[in-house]
Structures are given as structure tokens and as C-alpha cells.
Amino acid sequence: MKNNSLYLSDILSVDQFSKADIATIFATAKKMERIVKTKGATDILKGKIITALFYEPSSRTFGSFVTAIQRLGGGFIPIQGVQFSSVVKGETLSDTVRVFASFSDAIVLRHPEVGSAKIAAEFANKPIINAGDGVGEHPTQALLDLFTITNHFGKADKLTITMAGDMLNGRTVHSLSKLLSLYRGVTLNFVSPDILKFPREIMQKLTARGMRVHEQERLVDLLPATDVLYVTRVQKERFSDLSSYEKVKHHYIITPELLKSFKKTGIVMHPLPRVGEITMDVDLDRRAVYITEQMRNGMYVRMALLRLILNR
Ligand code: NCD
């Protein structure tokens, strides 16, 4: 591959990606899909070791990275649950990442603080992949979400995307909306209760890029014109007061009844885990792609990123 601009780069925020980068990542993800479907695995990352350093709970992001590494023939150091690590002895993030950078070729980092991945990248001399920094960003999730959308519709341009749930604290919607602002004619609807409104600062970035953005509390009237319904969990762990969480936790519940007015050609997405915001009977709707396409795409996109970052 010529001019692989991702080689040895950090993945910190979706702001770093051009449309050309995204096209390269998606073309590579397609190749990864073919490899998995035909052979199951390859040895592109033979001899490379990746640290998966997770300071916050995770199962699918952790699992899909670990699967991606193994399907590429690489090895990994799993650090999950920092209660068992030197972090409880008071070790700083900068020390921890420098230690693991000396053992491994890249670090996948999930951390509760916004900006932690950037700090880690300043200290580590190996690529850092941000797997979620508090309420900040989740760039690899946004890429797999966009990959799912473009695969399904053959494009991202001119789609109407309705995001519903916790727009304030959901890092996946922060990253995905910025990524979508690179495409032409996308309409973005943010649907949330008032206390969970999308951050103003990111909103300004979107509108400055000419994106059509609407905000409202009511979901149902948007469904007939929506191509992608992206549902999120209310992020309980970000609330300082649980009674406010209780008031909004089930503000939106997607049911087969509600989806009767949803576009026939639309898709329902969710980064998962869900905690009641989509009822299980919706899984049977052919428009529901969260447990199927979206999850599998996570593995292909993460394989593609690792391949591009670690191989010239
Ligand atoms: C998301 C996250 O961690 O931000 N999950 C994930 O990575 N698949 C969404 C969430 O936890 O609600």
C-alpha cells in the first residue's frame, strides 16, 4: 500500500481523519472481512504485541480488539480491571503507558477522563488508540458505525440520522456526529431530554461545517424520514446524583409498535450495551443491525486500523 498515512499514528479523535483516510480504513476493513470469511485469520501482525489497557468497564470493545489482534496473528497484554494493577498503588497514567509501551507495539486505552488518550500519547513512544476517554470521544466506535452505515446504504451523503438517548454523555454520538459532518447533505437529529442535550461546543463545530442539525425531545414524528435510528444508553456512571438518572433512564424505549412509523429502508443501530432502551422483540425486526452487522463490523474495522497502524 502506498502512502499509508496511518502507519505508527495515534488514534485519538475523529478530528484527525480526512475522507481519504476513512476510505482507506474502509477498503482495508472489507479486505479483513474477506480474510475472516475465507480463512478466519492471517499472520499480518505476527511478532507484534498490543496492550489493551482498560480503566473502565468494557466487554465488546475489549473483546473486539482482542479478537481483531488474534485474527491478525498478533499477541496481546490484557489489562482489564485496574483494581488488580499497580494503578491502585498510585501509579500515574503516564508511568503506566510508558511501561507498557516498552513491552508492546501499541496500546489500546480506555480511561474515564476526557483527554487521557492525548496525555498517554504524549508520554508513550508507541501508538495509542483511544477506546473511549470518559465523555470525550470513541473514534474506533464512530468508524465502525460509519462503516455500517456506508455499507448498508452505499453512501453517507444525504442521509437523515436520528440519534436518541444520552446526547450529553454519550461519547459515541460525539465522535460519530463529527465524522458524519465530513459528508454532504447529512441531516442530524439529536433527540434527548433537556438535561441530556448534545454539548454546545461540538454542536458549534457541526454547524460551522454547514451540517443541518435539529434538536428536539420527541422522537416519534422524526421516524418516517429517518434512515438511521441510532439509540444510546443513558450513561449512568456519568451522573453525580442517581435520582436524576432514575428520572431519565427510560425516557426513550424503542418497541416494535414505535417502529411502525419508521422508514421501511431504515436501520436501527446501538453501540451496546443496551439497558432497556430497545426491547428484545425489536431484535427480530430486519432493520435492527446492532447485534449483527454493527458488532461484526467492529471487528473488521479494528483489524483494519491495527493493520494500518502497525504495518507499513
Ligand atoms: C459504548 C461506550 O463505551 O462508550 N460502548 C461501546 O464501546 N460499545 C457505549 C456505552 O457504553 O453506552
PDB file of all heavy atoms in Angstrom, residues 57 60-61 110 131 138 141 171-172 233 235 237 270-273 295 302, ligand 1:
ATOM      1  N   PRO A  57     -15.059  -0.192  32.641  1.00  0.00           N
ATOM      2  CA  PRO A  57     -15.669  -1.444  32.196  1.00  0.00           C
ATOM      3  C   PRO A  57     -15.808  -1.491  30.672  1.00  0.00           C
ATOM      4  O   PRO A  57     -16.064  -0.466  30.041  1.00  0.00           O
ATOM      5  CB  PRO A  57     -17.058  -1.415  32.839  1.00  0.00           C
ATOM      6  CG  PRO A  57     -16.959  -0.453  33.961  1.00  0.00           C
ATOM      7  CD  PRO A  57     -15.916   0.542  33.585  1.00  0.00           C
ATOM      8  N   ARG A  60     -17.512  -5.465  24.924  1.00  0.00           N
ATOM      9  CA  ARG A  60     -17.470  -5.593  23.457  1.00  0.00           C
ATOM     10  C   ARG A  60     -16.288  -4.879  22.818  1.00  0.00           C
ATOM     11  O   ARG A  60     -15.677  -5.409  21.887  1.00  0.00           O
ATOM     12  CB  ARG A  60     -18.791  -5.214  22.782  1.00  0.00           C
ATOM     13  CG  ARG A  60     -19.208  -3.789  22.876  1.00  0.00           C
ATOM     14  CD  ARG A  60     -20.636  -3.656  23.315  1.00  0.00           C
ATOM     15  NE  ARG A  60     -20.802  -4.081  24.676  1.00  0.00           N
ATOM     16  CZ  ARG A  60     -21.597  -5.063  25.082  1.00  0.00           C
ATOM     17  NH1 ARG A  60     -22.303  -5.737  24.231  1.00  0.00           N
ATOM     18  NH2 ARG A  60     -21.692  -5.361  26.357  1.00  0.00           N
ATOM     19  N   THR A  61     -15.936  -3.702  23.315  1.00  0.00           N
ATOM     20  CA  THR A  61     -14.784  -3.006  22.713  1.00  0.00           C
ATOM     21  C   THR A  61     -13.520  -3.804  23.014  1.00  0.00           C
ATOM     22  O   THR A  61     -12.703  -4.072  22.130  1.00  0.00           O
ATOM     23  CB  THR A  61     -14.677  -1.567  23.255  1.00  0.00           C
ATOM     24  OG1 THR A  61     -15.900  -0.894  22.971  1.00  0.00           O
ATOM     25  CG2 THR A  61     -13.540  -0.810  22.605  1.00  0.00           C
ATOM     26  N   ARG A 110      -8.622   2.629  27.278  1.00  0.00           N
ATOM     27  CA  ARG A 110      -9.923   3.170  27.704  1.00  0.00           C
ATOM     28  C   ARG A 110      -9.731   3.740  29.105  1.00  0.00           C
ATOM     29  O   ARG A 110      -9.185   3.075  29.983  1.00  0.00           O
ATOM     30  CB  ARG A 110     -11.004   2.102  27.712  1.00  0.00           C
ATOM     31  CG  ARG A 110     -12.253   2.630  28.415  1.00  0.00           C
ATOM     32  CD  ARG A 110     -13.454   1.775  28.213  1.00  0.00           C
ATOM     33  NE  ARG A 110     -13.924   1.829  26.841  1.00  0.00           N
ATOM     34  CZ  ARG A 110     -15.101   1.344  26.468  1.00  0.00           C
ATOM     35  NH1 ARG A 110     -15.901   0.774  27.337  1.00  0.00           N
ATOM     36  NH2 ARG A 110     -15.467   1.409  25.199  1.00  0.00           N
ATOM     37  N   ALA A 131      -9.822   4.092  23.015  1.00  0.00           N
ATOM     38  CA  ALA A 131     -11.006   3.212  23.004  1.00  0.00           C
ATOM     39  C   ALA A 131     -12.089   3.791  23.925  1.00  0.00           C
ATOM     40  O   ALA A 131     -12.877   3.051  24.503  1.00  0.00           O
ATOM     41  CB  ALA A 131     -10.615   1.810  23.433  1.00  0.00           C
ATOM     42  N   HIS A 138     -14.881   8.404  21.116  1.00  0.00           N
ATOM     43  CA  HIS A 138     -14.735   6.959  20.930  1.00  0.00           C
ATOM     44  C   HIS A 138     -14.545   6.754  19.424  1.00  0.00           C
ATOM     45  O   HIS A 138     -15.428   6.263  18.726  1.00  0.00           O
ATOM     46  CB  HIS A 138     -16.011   6.282  21.431  1.00  0.00           C
ATOM     47  CG  HIS A 138     -15.880   4.810  21.706  1.00  0.00           C
ATOM     48  ND1 HIS A 138     -14.829   4.049  21.253  1.00  0.00           N
ATOM     49  CD2 HIS A 138     -16.692   3.960  22.388  1.00  0.00           C
ATOM     50  CE1 HIS A 138     -15.010   2.792  21.644  1.00  0.00           C
ATOM     51  NE2 HIS A 138     -16.127   2.723  22.336  1.00  0.00           N
ATOM     52  N   GLN A 141     -15.226   3.371  17.573  1.00  0.00           N
ATOM     53  CA  GLN A 141     -16.657   3.064  17.507  1.00  0.00           C
ATOM     54  C   GLN A 141     -17.314   3.884  16.385  1.00  0.00           C
ATOM     55  O   GLN A 141     -18.128   3.371  15.612  1.00  0.00           O
ATOM     56  CB  GLN A 141     -17.320   3.383  18.855  1.00  0.00           C
ATOM     57  CG  GLN A 141     -18.822   3.159  18.889  1.00  0.00           C
ATOM     58  CD  GLN A 141     -19.223   1.693  18.952  1.00  0.00           C
ATOM     59  OE1 GLN A 141     -18.602   0.918  19.649  1.00  0.00           O
ATOM     60  NE2 GLN A 141     -20.262   1.306  18.219  1.00  0.00           N
ATOM     61  N   ARG A 171     -20.224   9.296  24.429  1.00  0.00           N
ATOM     62  CA  ARG A 171     -19.061   9.649  23.595  1.00  0.00           C
ATOM     63  C   ARG A 171     -19.199   9.129  22.172  1.00  0.00           C
ATOM     64  O   ARG A 171     -18.639   9.690  21.241  1.00  0.00           O
ATOM     65  CB  ARG A 171     -17.784   9.117  24.245  1.00  0.00           C
ATOM     66  CG  ARG A 171     -17.828   7.616  24.549  1.00  0.00           C
ATOM     67  CD  ARG A 171     -16.705   7.209  25.467  1.00  0.00           C
ATOM     68  NE  ARG A 171     -16.880   5.851  25.942  1.00  0.00           N
ATOM     69  CZ  ARG A 171     -16.279   5.364  27.033  1.00  0.00           C
ATOM     70  NH1 ARG A 171     -15.498   6.150  27.752  1.00  0.00           N
ATOM     71  NH2 ARG A 171     -16.469   4.129  27.406  1.00  0.00           N
ATOM     72  N   THR A 172     -19.988   8.055  21.993  1.00  0.00           N
ATOM     73  CA  THR A 172     -20.101   7.512  20.629  1.00  0.00           C
ATOM     74  C   THR A 172     -20.822   8.504  19.717  1.00  0.00           C
ATOM     75  O   THR A 172     -20.451   8.662  18.569  1.00  0.00           O
ATOM     76  CB  THR A 172     -20.820   6.137  20.605  1.00  0.00           C
ATOM     77  OG1 THR A 172     -22.196   6.315  20.896  1.00  0.00           O
ATOM     78  CG2 THR A 172     -20.230   5.161  21.591  1.00  0.00           C
ATOM     79  N   ARG A 233     -27.580   4.380  25.309  1.00  0.00           N
ATOM     80  CA  ARG A 233     -27.885   4.139  26.722  1.00  0.00           C
ATOM     81  C   ARG A 233     -27.703   5.445  27.491  1.00  0.00           C
ATOM     82  O   ARG A 233     -26.772   6.203  27.219  1.00  0.00           O
ATOM     83  CB  ARG A 233     -26.863   3.092  27.185  1.00  0.00           C
ATOM     84  CG  ARG A 233     -26.711   2.851  28.640  1.00  0.00           C
ATOM     85  CD  ARG A 233     -25.649   1.749  28.849  1.00  0.00           C
ATOM     86  NE  ARG A 233     -24.285   2.230  28.677  1.00  0.00           N
ATOM     87  CZ  ARG A 233     -23.549   2.769  29.646  1.00  0.00           C
ATOM     88  NH1 ARG A 233     -24.025   2.881  30.861  1.00  0.00           N
ATOM     89  NH2 ARG A 233     -22.314   3.180  29.411  1.00  0.00           N
ATOM     90  N   GLN A 235     -26.058   7.215  30.251  1.00  0.00           N
ATOM     91  CA  GLN A 235     -24.767   6.826  30.831  1.00  0.00           C
ATOM     92  C   GLN A 235     -24.751   7.027  32.352  1.00  0.00           C
ATOM     93  O   GLN A 235     -24.239   8.013  32.871  1.00  0.00           O
ATOM     94  CB  GLN A 235     -23.645   7.653  30.173  1.00  0.00           C
ATOM     95  CG  GLN A 235     -23.685   7.635  28.640  1.00  0.00           C
ATOM     96  CD  GLN A 235     -22.983   6.444  28.039  1.00  0.00           C
ATOM     97  OE1 GLN A 235     -21.789   6.243  28.249  1.00  0.00           O
ATOM     98  NE2 GLN A 235     -23.711   5.625  27.275  1.00  0.00           N
ATOM     99  N   GLU A 237     -23.071   5.984  34.784  1.00  0.00           N
ATOM    100  CA  GLU A 237     -21.814   6.232  35.502  1.00  0.00           C
ATOM    101  C   GLU A 237     -21.357   7.689  35.453  1.00  0.00           C
ATOM    102  O   GLU A 237     -20.454   8.084  36.172  1.00  0.00           O
ATOM    103  CB  GLU A 237     -20.713   5.294  34.976  1.00  0.00           C
ATOM    104  CG  GLU A 237     -20.268   5.489  33.529  1.00  0.00           C
ATOM    105  CD  GLU A 237     -21.135   4.780  32.477  1.00  0.00           C
ATOM    106  OE1 GLU A 237     -22.364   4.655  32.676  1.00  0.00           O
ATOM    107  OE2 GLU A 237     -20.574   4.384  31.438  1.00  0.00           O
ATOM    108  N   HIS A 270     -27.154   0.690  17.662  1.00  0.00           N
ATOM    109  CA  HIS A 270     -26.920   0.950  19.091  1.00  0.00           C
ATOM    110  C   HIS A 270     -25.489   0.472  19.351  1.00  0.00           C
ATOM    111  O   HIS A 270     -25.131  -0.634  18.935  1.00  0.00           O
ATOM    112  CB  HIS A 270     -27.931   0.151  19.938  1.00  0.00           C
ATOM    113  CG  HIS A 270     -27.955   0.529  21.398  1.00  0.00           C
ATOM    114  ND1 HIS A 270     -26.830   0.505  22.195  1.00  0.00           N
ATOM    115  CD2 HIS A 270     -28.965   0.943  22.203  1.00  0.00           C
ATOM    116  CE1 HIS A 270     -27.155   0.898  23.431  1.00  0.00           C
ATOM    117  NE2 HIS A 270     -28.439   1.169  23.465  1.00  0.00           N
ATOM    118  N   PRO A 271     -24.657   1.272  20.043  1.00  0.00           N
ATOM    119  CA  PRO A 271     -23.274   0.808  20.274  1.00  0.00           C
ATOM    120  C   PRO A 271     -23.213  -0.357  21.261  1.00  0.00           C
ATOM    121  O   PRO A 271     -22.197  -1.057  21.328  1.00  0.00           O
ATOM    122  CB  PRO A 271     -22.564   2.040  20.836  1.00  0.00           C
ATOM    123  CG  PRO A 271     -23.653   2.890  21.429  1.00  0.00           C
ATOM    124  CD  PRO A 271     -24.882   2.622  20.598  1.00  0.00           C
ATOM    125  N   LEU A 272     -24.292  -0.551  22.017  1.00  0.00           N
ATOM    126  CA  LEU A 272     -24.397  -1.572  23.068  1.00  0.00           C
ATOM    127  C   LEU A 272     -23.392  -1.263  24.194  1.00  0.00           C
ATOM    128  O   LEU A 272     -22.381  -0.648  23.923  1.00  0.00           O
ATOM    129  CB  LEU A 272     -24.208  -2.988  22.519  1.00  0.00           C
ATOM    130  CG  LEU A 272     -25.214  -3.430  21.449  1.00  0.00           C
ATOM    131  CD1 LEU A 272     -24.914  -4.872  21.019  1.00  0.00           C
ATOM    132  CD2 LEU A 272     -26.664  -3.323  21.925  1.00  0.00           C
ATOM    133  N   PRO A 273     -23.572  -1.620  25.414  1.00  0.00           N
ATOM    134  CA  PRO A 273     -24.696  -2.421  25.898  1.00  0.00           C
ATOM    135  C   PRO A 273     -25.997  -1.619  25.997  1.00  0.00           C
ATOM    136  O   PRO A 273     -25.973  -0.420  26.246  1.00  0.00           O
ATOM    137  CB  PRO A 273     -24.222  -2.812  27.303  1.00  0.00           C
ATOM    138  CG  PRO A 273     -23.316  -1.694  27.730  1.00  0.00           C
ATOM    139  CD  PRO A 273     -22.640  -1.239  26.477  1.00  0.00           C
ATOM    140  N   MET A 295     -21.897  -5.156  15.187  1.00  0.00           N
ATOM    141  CA  MET A 295     -20.881  -5.792  16.029  1.00  0.00           C
ATOM    142  C   MET A 295     -19.777  -6.434  15.188  1.00  0.00           C
ATOM    143  O   MET A 295     -18.597  -6.267  15.456  1.00  0.00           O
ATOM    144  CB  MET A 295     -21.517  -6.857  16.930  1.00  0.00           C
ATOM    145  CG  MET A 295     -22.308  -6.296  18.075  1.00  0.00           C
ATOM    146  SD  MET A 295     -21.316  -5.229  19.144  1.00  0.00           S
ATOM    147  CE  MET A 295     -22.117  -3.662  18.877  1.00  0.00           C
ATOM    148  N   ARG A 302     -11.575  -2.672  13.397  1.00  0.00           N
ATOM    149  CA  ARG A 302     -10.439  -2.662  14.329  1.00  0.00           C
ATOM    150  C   ARG A 302      -9.264  -3.457  13.759  1.00  0.00           C
ATOM    151  O   ARG A 302      -8.107  -3.085  13.940  1.00  0.00           O
ATOM    152  CB  ARG A 302     -10.890  -3.145  15.703  1.00  0.00           C
ATOM    153  CG  ARG A 302     -11.775  -2.069  16.325  1.00  0.00           C
ATOM    154  CD  ARG A 302     -12.339  -2.394  17.669  1.00  0.00           C
ATOM    155  NE  ARG A 302     -13.010  -1.218  18.192  1.00  0.00           N
ATOM    156  CZ  ARG A 302     -14.256  -1.196  18.667  1.00  0.00           C
ATOM    157  NH1 ARG A 302     -14.982  -2.310  18.705  1.00  0.00           N
ATOM    158  NH2 ARG A 302     -14.789  -0.071  19.109  1.00  0.00           N
TER     159      ARG A 302
HETATM  160  C1  NCD B   1     -20.107   2.488  24.342  1.00  0.00           C
HETATM  161  C2  NCD B   1     -19.062   3.190  25.184  1.00  0.00           C
HETATM  162  O1  NCD B   1     -18.325   2.539  25.918  1.00  0.00           O
HETATM  163  O2  NCD B   1     -18.985   4.396  25.055  1.00  0.00           O
HETATM  164  N1  NCD B   1     -19.952   1.108  24.327  1.00  0.00           N
HETATM  165  C3  NCD B   1     -19.085   0.565  23.449  1.00  0.00           C
HETATM  166  O3  NCD B   1     -17.938   0.929  23.348  1.00  0.00           O
HETATM  167  N2  NCD B   1     -19.587  -0.351  22.639  1.00  0.00           N
HETATM  168  C4  NCD B   1     -21.481   2.900  24.676  1.00  0.00           C
HETATM  169  C5  NCD B   1     -21.974   2.764  26.077  1.00  0.00           C
HETATM  170  O4  NCD B   1     -21.258   2.303  26.970  1.00  0.00           O
HETATM  171  O5  NCD B   1     -23.111   3.127  26.283  1.00  0.00           O
END
